[in-house]
Each structure stands twice: as C-alpha cells, then as structure tokens.
Amino acid sequence: MKHFIDIADFNLKQLDAIIRKAKKIKKNPKEFSKKCNNKTLGMIFQKESTRTRVSFNTGFSKMGGHCIELNASSIGFGRRESHEDVIRTLSQYIDILMIRNDDHDIIKYLSSLNVLPIINGLSDYSHPCQILSDLLTLSEKLGKIKKQKICWIGDYNNVLRSLIELQCMYNFKLEVVLPKEILRKNISKIIKNKNLNVTNIIHDGVKNANCVMTDAWVSMGENNSKKRHFKNYQVNKDVMKNASKDAIFMHCLPAHRDEEVSSELLDSKQSVVWEQAQNRMFVQQAIILNLL
Ligand code: CP
Ligand code: NVA
C-alpha cells in the first residue's frame, strides 16, 4: 500500500510523475472528473487549516469523489479510542485518509498499519503537500528547478524540512537564513548537502536568489516567545533588492502581515502566493490518483 508521508520517501522519477500529472489536471480538469467516482476521502484535522481543508475537499469532489471531514477532538482521536482503532474503523468505510496531526510519529505509525492510504497534510515535522505543490509553482514561474537559487528566510520548521528534502533530491541551490539563536539550536539537525548553505546573514543568503520564501515565525502549537529571535528577519522590498531582478516571493500562508513579510511585498507583483495556494489543489489531486 502506498502513502504520502514525506518527500524523502519518493525518488525523483516519482515526484516528477506527480508534477506532470498535476499539470495535466490543471490544463484539462474534465478528463479527471470521474476518476474518483464512488470513492471517499476522509480528513482528520488536529490543527487549524484553510488551504489544506478546502483544496483537498474541492480537489477530490472535482474528481467525482466524496469527502468527510473529521475534527480530531470531535472523534476523540487517540482519546475516545486509540489512533489505531479509529484508522481501522475508518478503513471499513473510506478509501483514503489525509491527516493533519501534531505528532509526525503517529502519522508514520498509522501508515505502517497499511489499512488504507494515508497522506500527511502537515505535521510538526513536515509539510510535503505544500512543498511538492511549490515545486509546481516554481516550475511554472521560473522553469527548471535545478537551475534555481532559492533562499529561505525564517524558522527551522516543518515547511523548511520538506524543502530541504526536495533540495536533496533535485540539488538546486538552497540558502537557508535562520536567526543566530535558531541556527545554533538546529545546526546539527540540518543535513549537509551539496548546494545547501546555512547562514544567519540575510544579505549573503538572498544574493542573486530567484525565489525568496518564508513562513510564520511561530508555527501552530509552538510558544510565541520564539518570536523575539526574528525581529530583523522580515522579508520586504529592501531584502528583495539583493535577490535576482525578477525574483519571486513565496509563502505557504497563512501570512502574518508585517511580521515575517511586509504587506507591501505580499501584495506586490513579485508575490506569487495566491497561485501557490491554488496549485495545492492540483498537486494533491495528482497525489491522490497516484495512491489510489
Ligand atoms: N499552507 C497551508 O497548509 O495552509 P492551511 O494551514 O490553511 O491549510
Ligand atoms: N509552519 C506553519 C505552516 C502552516 C501551513 C505551521 O506549522 O503553522
């Protein structure tokens, strides 16, 4: 049985095939409108979500399938009964399950039961659906990923870990800019790879980048006190001046305006965040077809 838990679980050929399929779905959605007839997608949310919730639901419905959304607390996921028993029960009714959960190990363990295909819709460790759909956006906006220089400015978090896994696969240039305190704390955890550099100096990281990415300074479930480390790490027009002339700005959203990104940049022509959000749907449709 196949699952979609982390980018690193796949090889380049498999990821390219998902992106090709997503492009086909985007170009000709009608061709895929019956692919999930009589199928049911379940979604368990233990954390808030707008894009993941709506893009999975509409994407699956557009392929003829039916979606059931389960709030982790209303089903007592792991509390009213064990996680395993919930999954085994769901497998009697539904064909595929997306989980957004705080504990990555739980998602991994549940997928190892192999009772139904499971998609990681964000965990404390990673956000593979986001980064794979960002690959589609990057390829549409900039062309071949291998030729790009991407600069991440912000936290060492779930989205960045998936981005690093993607970098290890495609070997594009990746500059990771983390505030000194965050860098010190995480440097030993960051994989050493060719074309992957880590710094705390924005100016060095962003130089000639084709794409600058950021994300919330404090991820869901984390303590707000972390924010103090990021005061000089906002991505704004001044930061973008040192990037390549046609550089794009990306953010998985939700954005905290005038914290990690200035409103001016988020609303500018350099920002591709809305198309980025839209592409979530096509890539997730392709992931689902791949798993089913
Ligand atoms: N980017 C993303 O996953 O958005 P949501 O948290 O709103 O689903
Ligand atoms: N790093 C963010 C991503 C939200 C889509 C979080 O986990 O809250």
Side-chain angles (χ1 to χ4, degrees):
M1 184 165 284
K2 293 197 282 181
H3 307 279
F4 187 78
I5 308 299
D6 275 309
I7 297 284
D9 302 335
F10 293 83
N11 61 37
L12 209 124
K13 220 171 130 192
Q14 291 167 322
L15 296 179
D16 280 347
I18 295 175
I19 296 296
R20 269 200 309 279
K21 173 85 70 167
K23 284 183 177 170
K24 271 192 185 166
I25 300 172
K26 188 169 181 177
K27 203 167 164 199
N28 190 6
K30 275 210 178 113
E31 197 187 305
F32 297 85
S33 63
K34 293 190 176 124
K35 294 278 183 205
C36 295
N37 275 2
N38 298 319
K39 301 267 185 232
T40 303
L41 164 75
M43 301 194 287
I44 298 182
F45 285 99
Q46 200 199 28
K47 294 175 166 199
E48 294 171 333
S49 168
T50 303
R51 280 142 289 267
T52 305
R53 171 175 276 131
V54 180
S55 57
F56 266 102
N57 195 328
T58 51
F60 200 65
S61 309
K62 280 173 196 279
M63 297 196 292
H66 172 244
C67 224
I68 297 181
E69 194 185 311
L70 304 160
N71 180 305
S73 66
S74 60
I75 58 167
F77 191 45
R79 177 177 52 79
R80 185 163 174 259
E81 59 190 320
S82 72
H83 297 109
E84 294 92 313
D85 289 352
V86 172
I87 300 302
R88 285 188 198 283
T89 304
L90 290 178
S91 73
Q92 305 303 310
Y93 310 117
I94 69 174
D95 302 281
I96 183 163
L97 178 69
M98 191 238 56
I99 310 183
R100 172 167 285 200
N101 199 56
D102 228 341
D103 188 341
H104 191 69
D105 290 340
I106 290 182
I107 303 188
K108 278 184 82 158
Y109 168 63
L110 295 176
S111 68
S112 75
L113 300 175
N114 279 327
V115 291
L116 83 172
I118 292 183
I119 299 174
N120 172 8
L122 180 148
S123 70
D124 55 339
Y125 181 75
S126 59
H127 198 0
C129 293
Q130 180 66 54
I131 284 302
L132 196 56
S133 67
D134 289 352
L135 178 60
L136 171 59
T137 309
L138 284 160
S139 107
E140 287 176 341
K141 294 288 168 193
L142 302 174
K144 283 211 176 334
I145 183 77
K146 287 177 188 166
K147 295 189 174 156
Q148 310 308 326
K149 177 174 173 180
I150 297 174
C151 173
W152 171 277
I153 302 176
D155 189 21
Y156 178 68
N157 68 8
N158 43 10
V159 178
L160 174 59
R161 275 187 286 269
S162 292
L163 178 63
I164 290 175
E165 289 185 7
L166 193 80
Q167 193 277 333
C168 290
M169 202 82 70
Y170 286 88
N171 264 309
F172 53 85
K173 287 200 175 73
L174 177 61
E175 292 285 336
V176 176
V177 183
L178 308 174
K180 209 182 276 170
E181 296 79 359
I182 306 285
L183 178 66
R184 203 179 301 131
K185 199 169 152 214
N186 295 291
I187 189 74
S188 61
K189 298 180 208 152
I190 303 176
I191 300 166
K192 310 275 170 294
N193 193 40
K194 198 175 132 221
N195 291 335
L196 169 57
N197 290 313
V198 186
T199 175
N200 64 319
I201 301 164
I202 295 189
H203 186 270
D204 291 353
V206 87
K207 204 164 168 225
N208 300 325
N210 308 96
C211 167
V212 180
M213 275 190 195
T214 190
D215 182 15
W217 288 337
V218 182
S219 286
M220 290 181 279
E222 290 186 329
N223 194 318
N224 246 3
S225 64
K226 196 175 170 186
K227 238 184 214 177
R228 66 188 190 281
H229 302 310
F230 294 92
K231 153 159 131 292
N232 299 317
Y233 286 82
Q234 184 188 79
V235 186
N236 51 36
K237 286 265 181 185
D238 277 344
V239 169
M240 294 300 284
K241 273 185 197 147
N242 290 309
S244 138
K245 189 165 67 61
D246 303 317
I248 56 170
F249 169 74
M250 292 178 78
H251 189 313
C252 63
L253 303 179
H256 307 82
R257 286 175 176 266
D258 300 316
E259 288 191 9
E260 73 269 9
V261 56
S262 66
S263 268
E264 184 191 23
L265 176 61
L266 192 70
D267 297 330
S268 74
K269 281 203 181 119
Q270 281 180 289
S271 163
V272 299
V273 298
W274 311 117
E275 287 137 293
Q276 198 184 342
Q278 190 198 39
N279 278 337
R280 289 287 304 276
M281 185 176 79
F282 304 117
V283 168
Q284 288 158 191
Q285 285 176 305
I287 291 170
I288 289 168
L289 292 180
N290 179 282
L291 299 184
L292 288 177

